[in-house]
Coordinates of all heavy atoms in Angstrom, one line a residue:
W15 N 91.2 89.9 398.4 CA 92.3 89.0 398.5 C 92.0 87.9 399.5 O 91.3 88.1 400.5 CB 93.6 89.7 399.0 CG 94.0 90.8 398.0 CD1 93.8 92.1 398.1 CD2 94.7 90.6 396.8 NE1 94.3 92.8 397.0 CE2 94.9 91.8 396.2 CE3 95.2 89.5 396.1 CZ2 95.6 92.0 395.0 CZ3 95.9 89.6 394.9 CH2 96.1 90.9 394.4
F16 N 92.6 86.7 399.2 CA 92.3 85.6 400.1 C 92.9 85.9 401.5 O 94.0 86.3 401.6 CB 93.0 84.3 399.5 CG 92.6 83.1 400.2 CD1 91.3 82.6 400.0 CD2 93.4 82.4 401.0 CE1 90.9 81.4 400.7 CE2 93.0 81.3 401.7 CZ 91.8 80.8 401.5
G17 N 92.1 85.6 402.5 CA 92.5 85.8 403.9 C 92.0 87.1 404.4 O 92.2 87.4 405.6
E18 N 91.4 88.0 403.6 CA 90.8 89.2 404.1 C 89.3 89.1 404.4 O 88.7 90.1 404.7 CB 91.1 90.3 403.1 CG 92.6 90.7 403.0 CD 92.9 91.9 402.2 OE1 91.9 92.4 401.6 OE2 94.1 92.2 402.1
G19 N 88.8 88.0 404.3 CA 87.3 87.8 404.4 C 86.9 88.2 405.8 O 85.8 88.8 406.0
E20 N 87.6 87.9 406.8 CA 87.3 88.2 408.2 C 87.1 89.7 408.4 O 86.2 90.2 409.0 CB 88.4 87.6 409.1 CG 88.1 87.8 410.6 CD 89.2 87.2 411.5 OE1 90.2 86.8 410.9 OE2 89.0 87.3 412.7
K21 N 88.1 90.4 407.8 CA 88.0 91.9 407.9 C 86.8 92.5 407.2 O 86.1 93.3 407.7 CB 89.3 92.5 407.2 CG 89.3 94.0 407.2 CD 90.6 94.5 406.6 CE 90.7 94.3 405.1 NZ 91.9 94.9 404.5
Y22 N 86.4 91.9 406.0 CA 85.3 92.4 405.2 C 84.0 92.0 405.9 O 83.0 92.8 405.9 CB 85.3 91.8 403.8 CG 86.4 92.4 403.0 CD1 87.2 91.6 402.2 CD2 86.7 93.8 403.0 CE1 88.3 92.1 401.5 CE2 87.7 94.3 402.2 CZ 88.5 93.5 401.5 OH 89.5 94.0 400.7
V23 N 83.9 90.9 406.6 CA 82.7 90.6 407.4 C 82.5 91.6 408.5 O 81.4 92.1 408.7 CB 82.8 89.1 408.0 CG1 81.7 88.9 409.0 CG2 82.7 88.1 406.8
K24 N 83.6 92.0 409.2 CA 83.5 93.0 410.2 C 83.0 94.3 409.6 O 82.1 95.0 410.2 CB 84.8 93.2 410.9 CG 85.3 92.1 411.8 CD 86.6 92.4 412.4 CE 87.2 91.3 413.1 NZ 88.5 91.6 413.7
V25 N 83.5 94.7 408.5 CA 83.1 95.9 407.8 C 81.6 95.9 407.4 O 80.9 96.9 407.7 CB 84.0 96.2 406.6 CG1 83.5 97.3 405.8 CG2 85.4 96.5 407.0
V26 N 81.2 94.8 406.9 CA 79.8 94.7 406.5 C 78.8 94.9 407.6 O 77.9 95.7 407.6 CB 79.5 93.4 405.7 CG1 78.0 93.1 405.6 CG2 80.1 93.4 404.4
F27 N 79.1 94.2 408.7 CA 78.2 94.3 409.9 C 78.4 95.6 410.6 O 77.4 96.2 411.1 CB 78.5 93.1 410.9 CG 77.8 91.9 410.5 CD1 78.4 90.9 409.7 CD2 76.6 91.6 411.0 CE1 77.8 89.7 409.4 CE2 75.9 90.4 410.7 CZ 76.5 89.5 409.9
S28 N 79.5 96.2 410.6 CA 79.7 97.6 411.1 C 78.9 98.6 410.3 O 78.2 99.4 410.9 CB 81.2 97.9 411.1 OG 81.4 99.2 411.6
L29 N 79.0 98.5 409.0 CA 78.2 99.5 408.2 C 76.7 99.2 408.4 O 76.0 100.2 408.5 CB 78.6 99.3 406.7 CG 77.9 100.1 405.7 CD1 78.1 101.6 406.0 CD2 78.3 99.8 404.3
A30 N 76.3 98.0 408.4 CA 74.9 97.7 408.6 C 74.4 98.3 409.9 O 73.2 98.8 410.0 CB 74.6 96.2 408.5
S31 N 75.2 98.2 410.9 CA 74.7 98.7 412.2 C 74.7 100.2 412.3 O 73.9 100.8 413.0 CB 75.6 98.2 413.3 OG 76.9 98.7 413.3
K32 N 75.5 100.8 411.5 CA 75.5 102.3 411.4 C 74.4 102.9 410.6 O 73.9 104.0 410.9 CB 76.8 102.8 410.9 CG 78.0 102.6 411.8 CD 79.3 103.1 411.3 CE 80.3 102.9 412.4 NZ 81.6 102.6 411.9
I33 N 73.9 102.1 409.6 CA 72.8 102.7 408.8 C 71.5 101.9 409.1 O 70.7 101.7 408.2 CB 73.1 102.6 407.3 CG1 73.5 101.2 406.9 CG2 74.3 103.5 407.0 CD1 73.6 101.0 405.4
T34 N 71.3 101.4 410.3 CA 70.1 100.6 410.6 C 68.8 101.4 410.4 O 68.9 102.6 410.6 CB 70.2 100.1 412.1 OG1 69.1 100.4 412.8 CG2 71.4 100.5 412.8
P35 N 67.8 100.8 410.1 CA 67.6 99.4 409.8 C 68.2 99.0 408.5 O 68.2 99.8 407.5 CB 66.1 99.2 409.8 CG 65.5 100.6 409.4 CD 66.5 101.6 409.9
S36 N 68.7 97.8 408.5 CA 69.4 97.3 407.2 C 69.3 95.8 407.1 O 69.0 95.1 408.1 CB 70.9 97.8 407.2 OG 71.5 97.3 408.4
V37 N 69.5 95.4 405.9 CA 69.4 93.9 405.6 C 70.7 93.5 404.9 O 71.2 94.2 404.0 CB 68.3 93.6 404.6 CG1 68.3 92.2 404.2 CG2 66.9 94.0 405.2
I38 N 71.3 92.5 405.4 CA 72.5 91.9 404.8 C 72.0 90.6 404.1 O 71.5 89.7 404.7 CB 73.6 91.5 405.9 CG1 74.1 92.8 406.6 CG2 74.7 90.8 405.2 CD1 75.0 92.5 407.7
F39 N 72.1 90.6 402.8 CA 71.7 89.5 402.0 C 72.9 88.7 401.5 O 73.7 89.3 400.8 CB 70.8 89.9 400.8 CG 70.3 88.8 400.0 CD1 69.3 87.9 400.4 CD2 70.8 88.6 398.7 CE1 68.9 86.8 399.7 CE2 70.4 87.5 397.9 CZ 69.5 86.6 398.4
V40 N 72.9 87.4 401.7 CA 74.0 86.5 401.2 C 73.3 85.5 400.3 O 72.6 84.7 400.7 CB 74.7 85.8 402.4 CG1 75.8 85.0 401.9 CG2 75.1 86.8 403.4
D41 N 73.7 85.6 399.0 CA 73.2 84.6 398.0 C 74.2 83.5 398.0 O 75.4 83.7 398.1 CB 73.1 85.3 396.7 CG 72.3 84.4 395.7 OD1 71.6 83.5 396.1 OD2 72.4 84.7 394.5
E42 N 73.7 82.3 397.8 CA 74.5 81.1 397.7 C 75.4 80.9 399.0 O 76.6 80.8 398.9 CB 75.4 81.0 396.5 CG 74.5 80.9 395.2 CD 75.4 80.7 394.0 OE1 76.6 80.4 394.0 OE2 74.8 80.9 392.9
V43 N 74.7 81.0 400.1 CA 75.4 81.0 401.4 C 76.2 79.7 401.6 O 77.1 79.7 402.4 CB 74.4 81.3 402.6 CG1 73.5 80.1 402.8 CG2 75.1 81.7 403.8
D44 N 75.8 78.7 400.9 CA 76.5 77.4 401.1 C 78.0 77.5 400.7 O 78.8 76.7 401.2 CB 75.8 76.3 400.4 CG 75.5 76.6 398.9 OD1 74.6 77.4 398.7 OD2 76.2 76.2 398.0
N45 N 78.3 78.4 399.7 CA 79.7 78.5 399.3 C 80.5 79.2 400.4 O 81.7 78.9 400.5 CB 79.8 79.4 398.0 CG 79.3 78.6 396.8 OD1 79.5 77.4 396.8 ND2 78.8 79.3 395.9
M46 N 79.9 80.1 401.1 CA 80.6 80.8 402.1 C 80.6 80.1 403.5 O 81.6 80.1 404.2 CB 80.1 82.2 402.3 CG 80.9 83.1 403.2 SD 80.4 84.8 403.1 CE 78.9 84.8 404.1
L47 N 79.4 79.6 403.9 CA 79.2 79.0 405.2 C 78.9 77.5 405.2 O 78.0 77.1 405.8 CB 78.1 79.8 405.9 CG 78.3 81.3 406.1 CD1 77.1 81.9 406.8 CD2 79.5 81.5 407.0
G48 N 79.7 76.8 404.4 CA 79.5 75.4 404.3 C 79.9 74.7 405.6 O 80.4 75.3 406.6
R49 N 79.8 73.4 405.7 CA 80.2 72.6 406.9 C 81.6 72.9 407.3 O 82.5 72.9 406.5 CB 79.9 71.1 406.6 CG 78.5 70.8 406.4 CD 78.4 69.3 406.3 NE 77.0 68.9 406.0 CZ 76.1 68.7 406.9 NH1 76.4 68.8 408.2 NH2 74.8 68.4 406.6
R50 N 81.8 73.0 408.6 CA 83.1 73.2 409.2 C 83.9 71.9 409.5 O 84.9 71.9 410.0 CB 83.0 74.0 410.5 CG 82.6 75.4 410.2 CD 82.5 76.2 411.5 NE 81.2 75.9 412.1 CZ 80.7 76.5 413.2 NH1 81.5 77.4 413.7 NH2 79.6 76.3 413.6
E51 N 83.3 70.8 409.1 CA 84.0 69.5 409.4 C 85.0 69.1 408.4 O 85.7 68.2 408.5 CB 82.9 68.4 409.5 CG 82.1 68.2 408.2 CD 80.9 67.3 408.4 OE1 80.3 67.3 409.5 OE2 80.5 66.7 407.5
N52 N 85.1 69.9 407.3 CA 86.1 69.7 406.3 C 87.5 69.9 406.8 O 87.9 71.0 407.2 CB 85.8 70.6 405.1 CG 86.7 70.3 403.9 OD1 87.5 69.4 403.9 ND2 86.5 71.1 402.8
T53 N 88.3 68.8 406.8 CA 89.6 68.9 407.4 C 90.6 69.6 406.5 O 91.6 70.1 407.0 CB 90.2 67.5 407.7 OG1 90.2 66.7 406.5 CG2 89.4 66.8 408.7
G54 N 90.3 69.7 405.2 CA 91.2 70.4 404.3 C 91.0 71.9 404.1 O 91.5 72.5 403.3
E55 N 90.1 72.4 404.9 CA 89.7 73.8 404.8 C 90.8 74.7 405.3 O 91.5 74.4 406.3 CB 88.4 74.0 405.7 CG 87.9 75.4 405.6 CD 86.6 75.5 406.4 OE1 86.6 75.2 407.6 OE2 85.6 76.0 405.8
H56 N 91.0 75.8 404.6 CA 92.1 76.7 404.9 C 91.6 77.5 406.2 O 90.5 77.8 406.4 CB 92.3 77.7 403.8 CG 93.5 78.5 403.9 ND1 93.6 79.6 404.6 CD2 94.8 78.2 403.4 CE1 94.9 80.1 404.6 NE2 95.6 79.3 403.8
E57 N 92.6 77.9 407.0 CA 92.4 78.6 408.2 C 91.7 80.0 408.0 O 90.8 80.4 408.8 CB 93.7 78.8 409.0 CG 93.5 79.5 410.3 CD 94.8 79.7 411.1 OE1 95.8 79.2 410.6 OE2 94.8 80.4 412.1
A58 N 92.0 80.6 406.9 CA 91.4 81.9 406.6 C 89.8 81.7 406.4 O 89.1 82.6 406.8 CB 92.0 82.5 405.3
M59 N 89.4 80.7 405.7 CA 88.0 80.4 405.6 C 87.3 80.1 406.9 O 86.2 80.6 407.2 CB 87.7 79.2 404.6 CG 87.8 79.6 403.2 SD 86.6 80.9 402.7 CE 85.1 80.0 402.7
R60 N 88.0 79.4 407.8 CA 87.5 79.1 409.1 C 87.3 80.4 409.9 O 86.3 80.5 410.6 CB 88.4 78.1 409.8 CG 87.7 77.2 410.7 CD 88.5 76.0 411.2 NE 89.3 75.5 410.1 CZ 90.6 75.2 410.2 NH1 91.2 75.3 411.3 NH2 91.3 74.8 409.2
K61 N 88.3 81.2 409.9 CA 88.2 82.5 410.6 C 87.0 83.4 410.1 O 86.3 84.0 410.9 CB 89.5 83.3 410.5 CG 90.6 82.7 411.3 CD 91.9 83.5 411.2 CE 93.0 83.1 412.1 NZ 94.2 83.9 412.0
M62 N 86.9 83.4 408.8 CA 85.8 84.2 408.2 C 84.5 83.7 408.6 O 83.6 84.4 409.0 CB 85.9 84.2 406.7 CG 85.0 85.2 405.9 SD 83.5 84.5 405.4 CE 83.9 83.0 404.6
K63 N 84.3 82.4 408.6 CA 83.0 81.8 409.0 C 82.7 82.1 410.5 O 81.6 82.4 410.8 CB 83.1 80.2 408.8 CG 83.0 79.8 407.4 CD 83.1 78.3 407.4 CE 83.2 77.8 406.0 NZ 83.3 76.3 405.9
N64 N 83.7 82.0 411.3 CA 83.6 82.2 412.7 C 83.2 83.7 413.0 O 82.3 84.0 413.8 CB 84.8 81.9 413.5 CG 85.1 80.4 413.6 OD1 84.1 79.6 413.5 ND2 86.3 80.0 413.8
E65 N 83.8 84.6 412.3 CA 83.5 86.0 412.4 C 82.1 86.3 412.0 O 81.3 87.0 412.6 CB 84.5 86.9 411.6 CG 84.3 88.4 411.8 CD 84.6 88.8 413.2 OE1 85.5 88.3 413.8 OE2 83.9 89.8 413.6
F66 N 81.7 85.7 410.9 CA 80.3 85.9 410.4 C 79.3 85.3 411.4 O 78.3 86.0 411.7 CB 80.1 85.2 409.0 CG 78.9 85.6 408.3 CD1 78.9 86.6 407.4 CD2 77.7 84.9 408.5 CE1 77.7 87.0 406.8 CE2 76.5 85.3 407.9 CZ 76.6 86.4 407.0
M67 N 79.5 84.2 411.9 CA 78.6 83.6 412.9 C 78.5 84.4 414.2 O 77.4 84.5 414.7 CB 79.0 82.1 413.2 CG 78.9 81.2 412.1 SD 77.2 81.0 411.6 CE 77.3 79.6 410.6
V68 N 79.6 84.9 414.6 CA 79.6 85.7 415.9 C 78.8 87.0 415.6 O 77.9 87.3 416.5 CB 81.0 86.1 416.3 CG1 81.0 87.3 417.3 CG2 81.8 84.9 416.8
N69 N 79.0 87.6 414.5 CA 78.2 88.8 414.2 C 76.7 88.5 414.0 O 75.8 89.2 414.4 CB 78.7 89.6 413.0 CG 80.0 90.4 413.4 OD1 79.8 91.4 414.0 ND2 81.1 89.8 413.0
W70 N 76.5 87.4 413.3 CA 75.1 87.0 413.0 C 74.3 86.6 414.2 O 73.2 86.9 414.3 CB 75.2 85.8 412.0 CG 73.9 85.4 411.3 CD1 72.7 86.0 411.5 CD2 73.7 84.4 410.3 NE1 71.7 85.4 410.7 CE2 72.3 84.5 410.0 CE3 74.6 83.6 409.7 CZ2 71.8 83.6 409.0 CZ3 74.0 82.7 408.7 CH2 72.7 82.8 408.4
D71 N 75.0 86.0 415.2 CA 74.4 85.6 416.4 C 74.0 86.8 417.3 O 73.2 86.7 418.2 CB 75.4 84.7 417.2 CG 74.7 84.1 418.4 OD1 73.5 83.7 418.3 OD2 75.4 83.9 419.4
G72 N 74.5 88.0 416.9 CA 74.1 89.2 417.7 C 75.0 89.5 418.8 O 74.6 90.3 419.7
L73 N 76.1 88.8 418.9 CA 77.0 89.0 420.1 C 77.6 90.4 420.1 O 78.1 90.9 421.1 CB 78.1 88.0 420.1 CG 77.6 86.6 420.3 CD1 78.8 85.6 420.2 CD2 76.9 86.4 421.7
R74 N 77.6 91.1 418.9 CA 78.3 92.4 418.8 C 77.3 93.5 418.4 O 77.7 94.5 418.0 CB 79.4 92.4 417.8 CG 80.5 91.4 418.2 CD 81.7 91.5 417.3 NE 82.7 90.6 417.7 CZ 83.7 90.3 417.0 NH1 83.9 90.8 415.8 NH2 84.6 89.5 417.4
T75 N 76.0 93.2 418.6 CA 75.0 94.3 418.3 C 74.4 94.8 419.5 O 74.3 94.1 420.5 CB 73.9 93.7 417.3 OG1 73.3 92.6 418.0 CG2 74.5 93.3 416.0
K76 N 73.9 96.0 419.4 CA 73.2 96.6 420.5 C 71.7 96.5 420.3 O 71.2 96.1 419.2 CB 73.5 98.1 420.5 CG 75.0 98.4 420.7 CD 75.3 99.8 420.6 CE 76.8 100.0 420.7 NZ 77.3 101.0 419.8
D77 N 70.9 96.7 421.4 CA 69.5 96.6 421.3 C 68.8 97.5 420.3 O 67.8 97.3 419.7 CB 68.9 96.8 422.7 CG 69.2 95.7 423.6 OD1 69.6 94.6 423.2 OD2 69.2 95.9 424.9
T78 N 69.5 98.7 420.1 CA 68.9 99.7 419.2 C 69.2 99.4 417.7 O 68.6 100.0 416.9 CB 69.4 101.1 419.6 OG1 70.9 101.1 419.5 CG2 69.0 101.5 421.0
E79 N 70.1 98.5 417.5 CA 70.4 98.2 416.1 C 69.5 97.2 415.5 O 69.1 96.2 416.2 CB 71.9 97.6 416.0 CG 72.9 98.6 416.4 CD 74.3 98.0 416.4 OE1 74.4 96.8 416.4 OE2 75.3 98.8 416.5
R80 N 69.0 97.4 414.3 CA 68.1 96.5 413.7 C 68.7 96.0 412.4 O 68.6 96.7 411.3 CB 66.8 97.1 413.5 CG 66.1 97.5 414.7 CD 64.7 98.1 414.5 NE 64.6 98.8 413.3 CZ 63.7 99.7 413.0 NH1 62.9 100.1 414.0 NH2 63.7 100.3 411.9
V81 N 69.4 94.9 412.4 CA 70.1 94.4 411.3 C 69.5 93.0 411.0 O 69.5 92.1 411.9 CB 71.6 94.3 411.5 CG1 72.3 93.6 410.3 CG2 72.2 95.6 411.7
L82 N 69.1 92.7 409.8 CA 68.5 91.4 409.5 C 69.5 90.8 408.5 O 69.9 91.4 407.5 CB 67.1 91.6 408.8 CG 66.5 90.4 408.2 CD1 66.1 89.4 409.3 CD2 65.3 90.7 407.3
V83 N 69.8 89.5 408.8 CA 70.7 88.7 407.9 C 69.8 87.7 407.2 O 69.1 86.9 407.8 CB 71.8 88.0 408.6 CG1 72.6 87.1 407.7 CG2 72.7 89.0 409.3
L84 N 69.7 87.8 405.8 CA 68.9 87.0 405.0 C 69.8 86.2 404.1 O 70.7 86.8 403.4 CB 67.9 87.8 404.2 CG 66.9 87.1 403.3 CD1 66.0 86.2 404.2 CD2 66.1 88.1 402.5
A85 N 69.7 84.9 404.1 CA 70.6 84.1 403.3 C 69.8 83.1 402.4 O 68.7 82.6 402.8 CB 71.5 83.3 404.2
A86 N 70.3 82.9 401.2 CA 69.6 82.0 400.3 C 70.5 80.9 399.8 O 71.7 81.1 399.7 CB 69.1 82.8 399.1
T87 N 70.0 79.7 399.6 CA 70.8 78.6 399.1 C 69.9 77.6 398.3 O 68.7 77.5 398.6 CB 71.5 77.9 400.2 OG1 72.3 76.8 399.7 CG2 70.6 77.3 401.2
N88 N 70.5 76.9 397.4 CA 69.8 75.8 396.7 C 70.3 74.5 397.3 O 69.9 73.4 396.9 CB 70.1 75.9 395.2 CG 69.4 77.0 394.6 OD1 68.3 77.4 395.0 ND2 70.0 77.6 393.6
R89 N 71.3 74.5 398.2 CA 71.9 73.3 398.8 C 71.9 73.4 400.3 O 72.9 73.5 400.9 CB 73.3 73.2 398.2 CG 73.3 73.2 396.7 CD 74.7 73.2 396.2 NE 75.5 72.2 396.8 CZ 76.6 71.6 396.2 NH1 77.0 72.1 395.1 NH2 77.2 70.6 396.8
P90 N 70.7 73.3 400.9 CA 70.7 73.4 402.4 C 71.4 72.3 403.1 O 71.8 72.5 404.2 CB 69.2 73.4 402.7 CG 68.5 72.8 401.5 CD 69.4 73.1 400.3
F91 N 71.6 71.1 402.4 CA 72.2 70.0 403.1 C 73.7 70.2 403.2 O 74.4 69.5 403.9 CB 72.0 68.7 402.3 CG 72.2 68.9 400.8 CD1 73.4 68.7 400.2 CD2 71.1 69.2 400.0 CE1 73.6 68.9 398.9 CE2 71.3 69.4 398.6 CZ 72.5 69.2 398.0
D92 N 74.3 71.3 402.5 CA 75.7 71.6 402.6 C 76.0 72.6 403.7 O 77.2 72.9 403.9 CB 76.2 72.2 401.3 CG 76.4 71.1 400.2 OD1 76.4 69.9 400.6 OD2 76.5 71.4 399.0
L93 N 75.0 73.1 404.4 CA 75.2 74.1 405.5 C 75.5 73.4 406.8 O 75.0 72.3 407.0 CB 74.0 74.9 405.6 CG 73.6 75.9 404.4 CD1 72.3 76.6 404.7 CD2 74.7 76.9 404.2
D94 N 76.3 74.0 407.6 CA 76.5 73.5 408.9 C 75.3 73.7 409.8 O 74.6 74.7 409.8 CB 77.7 74.4 409.6 CG 78.3 73.7 410.7 OD1 77.8 72.7 411.2 OD2 79.3 74.2 411.2
E95 N 74.9 72.6 410.5 CA 73.7 72.6 411.3 C 73.8 73.6 412.4 O 72.8 74.2 412.8 CB 73.4 71.2 411.8 CG 73.0 70.3 410.7 CD 72.6 68.9 411.2 OE1 72.3 68.8 412.4 OE2 72.7 67.9 410.4

């Protein structure tokens, strides 16, 4: 459901950390993590992106966890720098 993306991002990273080593693969990442400068973007999408970035950055992982995030896109110019 729309607006539950933030919860699902937490679940994916939590599961990946429990079954480490693991790989989180995101195909067409430009659809999910596009530029944040879009003023018409819904708050739920913004929250989901922020949650993904926080987890991706490793702010919530321990040294013993080995989680690799791999993302693919055909439109790199649409990603937030």
